[in-house]
Each structure stands twice: as structure tokens, then as C-alpha cells.
């Protein structure tokens, strides 16, 4: 009897030891770092995907907001973390501007992080508070020529693509429009609706919810084609700005050195969740995001192009972080 108990105990112990690595891998907490405050589009997206990712990866998934230093603190934290799939970065378009905007950035965004997935894009939209008379971008240009520097536009921060896009458009139009940066979409939208700022250059995801109620009036969209939700609003290209495009985008990165098998598994998990009809419909309809679902190689090419394009705008216009 004792021998049987001993054998069963030994067998049980061996079984638990053999199973321990798989159990430990399944139970490992995965942290998604969002380098912005709670409440923005990137944070909302991370939390929308959280439950599905837990199911796909078989591990608890938490979302941690790490704002600061023009969106570079979160990426730096991920870059310094273990390259084992347990730390991921879900970030926004301003990630590409870090090397140009910060004199001594805490990481090399192209070398210290490994691309995982380009989730999707959404065009930037310029909208004015309904209290102002502007109905087109041409109206804005005319008003700005009459009163240089008096007109104002809000963005969700210095160096975000909304800020840089308006810098380019203002320069091409030969006018001066004063930039008012905010630390998030919520405060920016609130002040524009309240009439404290004339306009906002924000992603379609940020701006569209305020258009249906009439609080904001759309003036210009910055994709290559018109959004179905804004069929009567011209693009910048249609308005005479040849080949001009300004896209908000959302992407996932891991620490450099993360094994390809882990990158592949993580990419597949995100794609599976994003293909869920409820989630994809919510992102496409409520935030006007065009899902790309492109893996590491395509994200790498896209990201390098964004770094080059918008970094040049920062340098040419001597834009500096606050």
C-alpha cells in the first residue's frame, strides 16, 4: 500500500514538473503598454481587444497607460523589457516622430522595437466649431490672410500628425494659423466645441462623433479618397494639395530580439481578435478605421516611411517638444 502511494506521489510530482513550463507560459501576464492617457483612441482600442487577446493567447492581458515625454516613455519601457512576448506596445501615429521631436530620445524607435502588426489607419479631418462661419478650407485660408495668426487650431499634442499636417497645409497656403496643443483628444474636442479654439485637426476616429450632433463642422479630410461617412467633404488632394495625405495609424510593437515564433503568434492573435465581426464593425463604423492587418514586414516598411516623411516636417519647421 505504501509503495503504491509512493509510486503515485512520484508519478504525480513528475507529471506536475513536466506540465509546469506549459502552465507557466499560459499563466504569464501579458502587458500592453499604451503611451497615452486613458480615454483616447489608442487606449480604447487596447481595452476593446483585451478580452479577445486573453482568449487567443491563453494568458491574462492587462493594459497599462504610460504617458509622458511626447509618447516616448511607454515605448522606452517596452524596449527595456524582456523579449519574451509578455510586453507589447500599442501606439499611435506620433510614435514615428519621436526621433525628430526629442533631442535625446530614450530609445531608437527603429532599432529597439520589433514590428508586430499595423492594425489600421484613419484620415485626419479638419473641423471647425459650429460657432464659426467657415464652411470650407478656402474660407479658413481667406480669414487667415485677413488676420495672420489670429485663427487657431487644436491638436492632441505637439508633433502629432494632426499638428504636422496643418503646419504643411498652412505653409502651402501661405497663411499663419496658431497651433494650440492638448494632451489628449477629450480636452481638445471640449475646448473647440466650447469656442475657445476655432478648429481641430484630429483623426476621423476623434472628430466624427461630434459631427453628427452639429457641434463641429467638417472642412477638409486628408485621406486619398473621401470617407463614406463624409461624402460631401473634399480631400486635401481635391482641394489642390497634390499627393497630400495625413493618416492616423495604430500599430503593435515588441522589444527588439523577440523570437520570430513569438512575434508570429502575437500577430496571429491580434488578427484573429480584430477579425471578430463585432470588433471590426465597431472600429470601422464608430472610429472610421480602415483595418490593414499587415504583419511585421509591411509595418516595418510603412513605419520607416512615416519616420522619414513627418520627421522632415518637424526639422524643416523647427518644431520642438514642450
Amino acid at each position: 500500500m505504501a509503495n503504491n502511494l509512493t509510486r503515485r506521489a512520484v508519478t504525480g510530482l513528475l507529471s506536475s514538473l513536466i506540465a509546469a513550463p506549459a502552465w507557466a507560459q499560459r499563466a504569464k501576464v501579458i502587458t500592453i503598454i499604451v503611451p497615452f492617457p486613458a480615454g483616447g483612441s489608442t487606449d480604447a482600442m487596447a481595452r476593446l481587444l483585451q478580452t479577445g487577446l486573453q482568449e487567443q493567447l491563453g494568458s491574462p492581458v492587462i493594459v497599462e497607460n504610460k504617458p509622458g515625454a511626447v509618447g516616448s516613455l511607454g515605448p522606452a519601457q517596452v524596449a527595456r523589457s524582456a523579449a519574451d512576448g509578455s510586453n507589447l506596445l500599442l501606439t499611435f501615429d506620433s510614435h514615428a516622430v519621436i526621433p525628430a521631436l526629442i533631442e535625446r530620445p530614450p530609445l531608437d524607435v527603429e532599432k529597439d522595437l520589433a514590428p508586430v502588426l499595423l492594425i489600421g489607419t484613419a484620415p485626419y479631418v479638419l473641423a471647425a466649431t459650429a460657432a464659426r462661419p467657415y464652411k470650407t478650407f478656402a474660407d479658413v485660408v481667406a480669414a487667415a490672410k485677413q488676420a495672420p495668426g489670429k485663427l487657431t487650431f487644436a491638436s492632441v499634442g505637439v508633433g502629432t500628425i494632426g499638428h504636422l499636417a496643418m503646419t504643411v497645409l498652412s505653409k502651402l497656403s501661405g497663411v499663419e494659423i496658431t497651433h494650440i496643443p492638448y494632451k489628449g483628444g477629450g480636452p481638445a474636442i471640449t475646448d473647440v466645441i466650447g469656442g475657445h479654439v476655432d478648429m481641430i485637426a484630429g483623426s476621423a476616429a476623434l472628430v466624427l462623433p461630434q459631427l453628427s450632433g452639429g457641434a463641429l463642422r467638417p472642412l477638409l479630410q486628408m485621406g486619398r479618397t473621401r470617407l463614406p461617412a463624409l461624402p460631401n467633404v473634399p480631400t486635401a488632394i481635391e482641394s489642390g494639395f497634390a499627393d497630400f495625405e495625413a493618416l492616423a495609424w495604430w500599430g503593435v510593437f515588441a522589444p527588439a530580439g523577440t523570437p520570430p515564433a513569438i512575434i508570429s503568434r502575437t500577430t496571429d492573435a491580434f488578427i484573429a481578435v480584430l477579425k471578430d465581426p463585432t470588433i471590426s464593425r465597431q472600429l470601422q463604423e464608430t472610429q472610421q478605421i480602415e483595418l490593414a492587418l499587415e504583419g511585421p514586414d509591411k509595418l516595418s516598411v510603412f513605419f520607416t516611411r512615416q519616420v522619414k516623411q513627418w520627421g522632415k516636417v518637424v526639422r524643416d519647421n523647427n518644431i520642438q517638444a514642450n
Side-chain angles (χ1 to χ4, degrees):
M1 182 72 171
N3 287 339
N4 288 339
L5 287 172
T6 301
R7 280 197 297 271
R8 285 199 296 271
V10 171
T11 301
L13 176 60
L14 289 173
S15 298
S16 66
L17 288 173
I18 292 170
W23 176 87
Q25 185 176 9
R26 287 197 303 272
K28 183 181 292 182
V29 174
I30 295 172
T31 301
I32 298 177
I33 297 294
V34 173
F36 307 104
S41 65
T42 311
D43 175 70
M45 181 182 292
R47 297 181 191 281
L48 178 65
L49 303 181
Q50 186 177 10
T51 300
L53 288 172
Q54 288 181 156
E55 296 172 356
Q56 289 291 325
L57 295 170
S59 297
V61 174
I62 64 172
V63 176
E64 179 182 337
N65 298 92
K66 188 74 175 182
V70 199
S72 67
L73 290 187
Q77 178 174 317
V78 173
R80 292 192 299 265
S81 65
D84 60 2
S86 63
N87 293 276
L88 302 170
L89 174 73
L90 202 166
T91 192
F92 188 58
D93 58 46
S94 56
H95 182 65
V97 188
I98 288 173
L101 198 61
I102 302 176
E103 185 175 356
R104 293 183 180 86
L107 82 160
D108 185 323
V109 294
E110 294 186 89
K111 293 181 179 179
D112 296 341
L113 294 169
V116 174
L117 181 71
L118 175 61
I119 293 175
T121 62
Y124 268 86
V125 175
L126 178 67
T129 170
R132 300 294 186 269
Y134 321 124
K135 292 183 172 58
T136 66
F137 187 65
D139 293 340
V140 172
V141 171
K145 286 182 176 179
Q146 291 182 353
K150 184 178 179 181
L151 269 67
T152 57
F153 77 94
S155 82
V156 298
V158 173
T160 55
I161 305 305
H163 171 204
L164 301 182
M166 281 299 293
T167 299
V168 173
L169 291 175
S170 298
K171 199 170 187 177
L172 291 174
S173 302
V175 296
E176 179 185 350
I177 304 175
T178 300
H179 176 223
I180 310 295
Y182 287 81
K183 292 183 178 180
I189 283 284
T190 298
D191 271 12
V192 176
I193 291 174
H196 304 293
V197 185
D198 297 313
M199 298 169 287
I200 183 167
S203 72
L206 174 65
V207 173
L208 256 66
Q210 306 301 328
L211 300 181
S212 58
L216 296 179
R217 181 186 301 118
L219 307 176
L220 188 75
Q221 52 184 312
M222 304 181 198
R224 290 192 175 274
T225 59
R226 297 188 185 190
L227 284 172
L230 295 175
N232 299 319
V233 181
T235 66
I237 294 173
E238 292 173 324
S239 302
F241 302 96
D243 203 36
F244 183 88
E245 182 181 40
L247 298 176
W249 58 268
W250 295 262
V252 181
F253 294 81
T258 300
I262 293 178
I263 294 286
S264 179
R265 180 169 177 260
T266 304
T267 302
D268 290 346
F270 269 92
I271 290 176
V273 176
L274 286 158
K275 282 186 173 180
D276 175 89
T278 301
I279 288 178
S280 62
R281 184 169 57 251
Q282 184 168 343
L283 291 174
Q284 291 169 332
E285 292 181 0
T286 65
Q287 298 199 50
Q288 298 299 306
I289 293 174
E290 181 179 349
L291 294 176
L293 305 185
E294 294 181 338
D297 291 343
K298 290 189 176 180
L299 172 55
S300 179
V301 172
F302 174 85
F303 183 60
T304 298
R305 189 166 63 242
Q306 291 285 302
V307 170
K308 182 177 180 180
Q309 175 185 351
W310 297 111
K312 185 177 187 300
V313 175
V314 171
R315 291 186 292 271
D316 289 351
N317 293 279
N318 194 30
I319 295 171
Q320 299 177 349
N322 290 340

